[in-house]
């Protein structure tokens, strides 16, 4: 696998050293040595949202602070930023089939489609969408 796109959950688990499937880790390792393991700019937005207090749900805590944490992730060896282009934004608004309305997931799926790479994820909605043939995915 020459390149992959990491879903936000995969970015968090990778950066925090949390458990990930061997298939997910191997896909990331191979991509980092090939064309790259990409992280969407949408992930920065989604992590910012996760770090904000939201109702009764506790915010995600990233040390020393979310902005520094995110800068370190995007600077990590083997990781590359996948920008949100006009094409990706349009594609995200017009995804085929039935896919939920979460904007970050739509941006990530559209980015993977545009780049022609699989998404490394544990997100059930993305994995189900991949099972329908709309995007490629590697479960992590």
């Amino acid at each position: 696998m020459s390149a992959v796109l990491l879903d936000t959950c995969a970015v968090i688990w990778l950066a925090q050293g949390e458990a990930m499937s061997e298939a997910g880790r191997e896909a990331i390792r191979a991509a980092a040595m090939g064309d790259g393991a990409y992280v969407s700019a949408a992930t920065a937005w989604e992590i910012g949202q996760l770090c904000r207090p939201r109702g009764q749900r506790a915010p995600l805590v990233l040390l020393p602070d979310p902005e520094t944490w995110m800068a370190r992730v995007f600077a990590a060896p083997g990781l590359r930023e996948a920008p949100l282009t006009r094409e990706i934004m349009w594609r995200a608004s017009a995804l085929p089939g039935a896919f939920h309305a979460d904007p970050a997931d739509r941006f990530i799926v559209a980015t993977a489609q545009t780049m022609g790479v699989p998404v490394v994820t544990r997100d059930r909605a993305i994995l189900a969408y991949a099972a329908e043939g709309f995007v490629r995915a590697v479960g992590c």
Side-chain angles (χ1 to χ4, degrees), residues 109-132:
V109 165
T111 300
Q113 290 175 333
T114 301
M115 294 177 68
V117 300
V119 180
V120 177
T121 187
R122 196 178 290 175
D123 185 293
R124 290 181 193 162
I126 295 174
L127 292 171
Y129 199 61
E132 293 178 38

Side-chain angles (χ1 to χ4, degrees), residues 6 11 14-15 28 32 36-39 72-81:
L6 306 183
V11 170
L14 182 66
I28 294 168
Y38 287 86
V39 178
R72 288 179 183 163
V73 165
F74 277 94
L79 293 184
R80 297 179 180 185
E81 182 175 350

Side-chain angles (χ1 to χ4, degrees), residues 21-49:
S21 74
E22 186 54 38
R25 286 198 179 280
E26 182 52 36
I28 294 168
R29 263 194 301 270
M33 293 170 50
D35 291 335
Y38 287 86
V39 178
S40 171
T43 291
W45 175 83
E46 187 171 21
I47 286 177
Q49 295 299 305

Side-chain angles (χ1 to χ4, degrees), residues 52-103:
R52 293 180 42 224
R54 299 172 303 166
Q56 296 189 1
R57 190 169 179 183
L60 176 64
V61 176
L62 300 173
L63 299 175
D65 58 78
E67 190 172 356
T68 302
W69 186 92
M70 182 55 60
R72 288 179 183 163
V73 165
F74 277 94
L79 293 184
R80 297 179 180 185
E81 182 175 350
L84 286 174
T85 64
R86 177 180 61 240
E87 177 185 1
I88 290 167
M89 300 300 278
W90 171 254
R91 188 175 282 205
S93 73
L95 290 174
F99 192 63
H100 66 96
D102 180 297

